[in-house]
Amino acid sequence: MAAVWTLSGGARAVLLLCWFSSCHISVSAAGTFTRQLSFQLNPGWNSSSPPAGDLLHVRAVGNNDTLHFLFCSQGAPTLLLVHTDSASSSVQVNWTQFLSRNTSGGLQVEPESSVLSSAAVVFSRLLEYDDVNNTADPTSDLFPPYELRDFIWSRLQLSSPAALLCGTTPTFGNGSLCLQLSVFDLEGRDQSWPRLLHSANSSQLGVWLDGIPPRASHSRFLLELQVVGGASPVSSVDVRQSIDDEFTPSIFKVSQWVWSENGSADVLGFAQWKPVAYRRRRPALEDATPCRHSPPRPQSGVAAASGLVRAFFSEPQSVGLNVSFGLAGEPFYNSTGFLSWTLLVGVGSPPVDSFSPLVLTIMAVGLGTPMILLLLGGVCVCLHKRREAARTTYEPIN
């Protein structure tokens, strides 16, 4: 019986390792879906001089659907995602209406009947407060907010598959707030932390504050985001735990802001981030600082803040939240004068991180080794008892 039990235990350890590996392979295989990307800056603009603010259109074509990513600096920076069930859908811009910003219809996706879902993420305000007591409480000593719709935005700098946008105000001097949009044709990870897992249905926005002069010696910042939909967007933020921090050291959580429409249970889109920011341009573990988010609440006035929202949505409804950087006891913004944060935005459900091969191996070894040692100990005990029994057995008398 001991020999049979030892064999089954070893087989179980091997099967456990194979099962973990097959799960990882199956998840990796699911990420082979690709999209064909094309980029167009200011589509349909015929003048030799550029418009007041840029509009970038990234068309991501799948097998039988299309994702339209539209990134605009008309007012507050805005990323609009439109998902259609046609591989030939297109974007049409009426620049006269678009630039007037007084009516909807300046931007349309055709055919209109092909639109499955649409949502926009607006970076509306940058807030700063004086954390003189080092409590990281943003409700006290708030300075007047920076309205991002009033920023002076640079021309979009394209380097496929990314676009960089930087803005400033007269009070910033040489400081700036920058956003970098990256769009993907397949599943993968960024090379720098926090190395979020992206798919062909998502885009990534890197945000950083560089050299902004603080208004106090203990300054901390918050960034206000708004999600805009066409009809009663419903949203919630879930925080998911993990035991794997290989790709983002010391961070075992991921925040997922998902939204749907009209009370539907189907997730139409998401914004996903790791609750961490970095105080230097090249992220390192010692420069990581935690971040928090407020509960999402209904907002107003988003159409006036974003030209893209005004042009696309006839009756925009928005929900907003704040992301605050730094906890009590963490260094202030003044320590480095730099802060970076990364956000993933996409359609459908957010990507789910699987265990990495390293963690799978550690788990297999950690579970299999004690089992094998226990079984070997059982075999040794059984053999020892059999030897003792053989010594004490009486010999038969003829």
Side-chain angles (χ1 to χ4, degrees), residues 37 39 56 58 60 69 71 79 81 156-165 179-186 189-192 196 198-208 342-346:
L37 302 181
F39 294 74
L56 174 66
V58 183
F69 297 88
F71 188 45
L79 176 64
L81 280 74
L156 274 172
Q157 303 175 33
L158 301 182
S159 56
S160 180
L164 177 64
L165 176 68
L179 299 96
Q180 180 169 292
L181 171 70
S182 301
V183 182
F184 312 102
D185 58 351
L186 47 75
R189 292 184 188 274
D190 198 8
Q191 293 303 308
S192 60
L196 293 174
H198 60 251
S199 70
N201 292 331
S202 63
S203 60
Q204 182 173 285
L205 282 160
V207 185
W208 61 84
T342 304
L343 175 73
L344 197 72
V345 182

Side-chain angles (χ1 to χ4, degrees), residues 289-376:
T289 187
C291 59
R292 299 171 296 172
H293 65 269
S294 65
R297 294 186 177 92
Q299 303 290 320
S300 61
V302 67
S306 168
L308 185 55
V309 167
R310 169 68 78 181
F312 183 76
F313 294 101
S314 57
E315 296 181 359
Q317 304 291 326
S318 67
V319 179
L321 58 74
N322 292 330
V323 178
S324 58
F325 306 104
L327 302 179
E330 290 289 318
F332 302 103
Y333 175 78
N334 313 54
S335 63
T336 61
F338 184 87
L339 196 66
S340 68
W341 179 66
T342 304
L343 175 73
L344 197 72
V345 182
V347 299
S349 298
V352 178
D353 248 326
S354 61
F355 290 119
S356 67
L358 175 61
V359 172
L360 293 176
T361 303
I362 292 173
M363 291 175 65
V365 172
L367 293 172
T369 302
M371 184 183 296
I372 293 174
L373 292 176
L374 181 63
L375 294 173
L376 289 176

Side-chain angles (χ1 to χ4, degrees), residues 77 118 136 151 169 173 235 251 282-283 303 320 331 333 336 338 345 348 354 356 393:
S118 60
F151 273 39
T169 70
S235 70
I251 304 300
R282 294 185 177 181
Y333 175 78
T336 61
F338 184 87
V345 182
S354 61
S356 67
T393 302

Side-chain angles (χ1 to χ4, degrees), residues 128-206:
E128 180 184 0
Y129 66 100
D130 184 8
D131 190 16
V132 64
N133 295 320
N134 201 6
T135 58
D137 181 10
T139 61
S140 60
D141 297 320
L142 269 170
F143 293 105
Y146 294 109
E147 299 287 348
L148 299 192
R149 64 183 176 184
D150 299 328
F151 273 39
I152 303 169
W153 296 103
S154 66
R155 313 310 309 187
L156 274 172
Q157 303 175 33
L158 301 182
S159 56
S160 180
L164 177 64
L165 176 68
C166 291
T168 186
T169 70
T171 60
F172 276 11
N174 293 326
S176 61
L177 183 151
C178 295
L179 299 96
Q180 180 169 292
L181 171 70
S182 301
V183 182
F184 312 102
D185 58 351
L186 47 75
E187 184 180 285
R189 292 184 188 274
D190 198 8
Q191 293 303 308
S192 60
W193 291 347
R195 300 198 65 192
L196 293 174
L197 175 66
H198 60 251
S199 70
N201 292 331
S202 63
S203 60
Q204 182 173 285
L205 282 160

